[in-house]
């Protein structure tokens, strides 16, 4: 049942959109983008495999952007999934 009475002064607080939207870099979560860039730089600079590093970054970033479109917090969920042991593991 909807109540259409006006709220008393000071009862409602505006919530800015920037407080609820996750931080994304290049369309992927910040942590995933930093990890992708670090691994691509290690391949490109450290092992002198420039092409492999660039291809790795493009593919990994694309996968992260695809996953972030479905769930912007997929990196946090993945980390929690890896850290938590299953109850019914044999």
């Amino acid at each position: 049942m909807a109540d259409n009475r006006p709220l008393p002064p000071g009862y409602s607080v505006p919530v800015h959109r920037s407080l609820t939207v996750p931080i994304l870099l290049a369309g992927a979560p910040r942590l995933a983008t930093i990890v992708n860039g670090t691994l691509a730089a290690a391949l490109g600079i450290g092992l002198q495999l420039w092409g492999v590093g660039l291809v790795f970054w493009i593919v990994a970033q694309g996968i992260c952007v695809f996953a972030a479109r479905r769930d912007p917090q997929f990196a946090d969920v993945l980390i929690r999934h890896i850290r938590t042991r299953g109850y019914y593991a044999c």
Side-chain angles (χ1 to χ4, degrees):
M1 194 164 161
D3 190 12
N4 294 332
R5 290 183 287 173
L7 296 174
Y11 184 75
S12 65
V13 177
V15 177
H16 297 281
R17 185 170 182 247
S18 63
L19 295 175
T20 61
V21 176
I23 298 172
L24 300 177
L25 291 175
R30 184 174 173 265
L31 176 66
T33 303
I34 292 172
V35 169
N36 289 339
T38 303
L39 292 176
L43 287 172
I45 296 171
L47 298 177
Q48 299 292 319
L49 299 172
W50 301 101
V52 174
L54 183 63
V55 169
F56 171 80
W57 183 79
I58 291 171
V59 169
Q61 189 69 14
I63 291 170
C64 289
V65 169
F66 175 75
R69 285 185 183 168
R70 298 185 65 109
D71 181 14
Q73 297 176 343
F74 82 92
D76 298 332
V77 173
L78 181 63
I79 290 170
R80 189 178 320 126
H81 170 72
I82 291 171
R83 192 180 316 152
T84 306
R85 183 175 174 180
Y87 288 111
Y88 301 112
C90 293

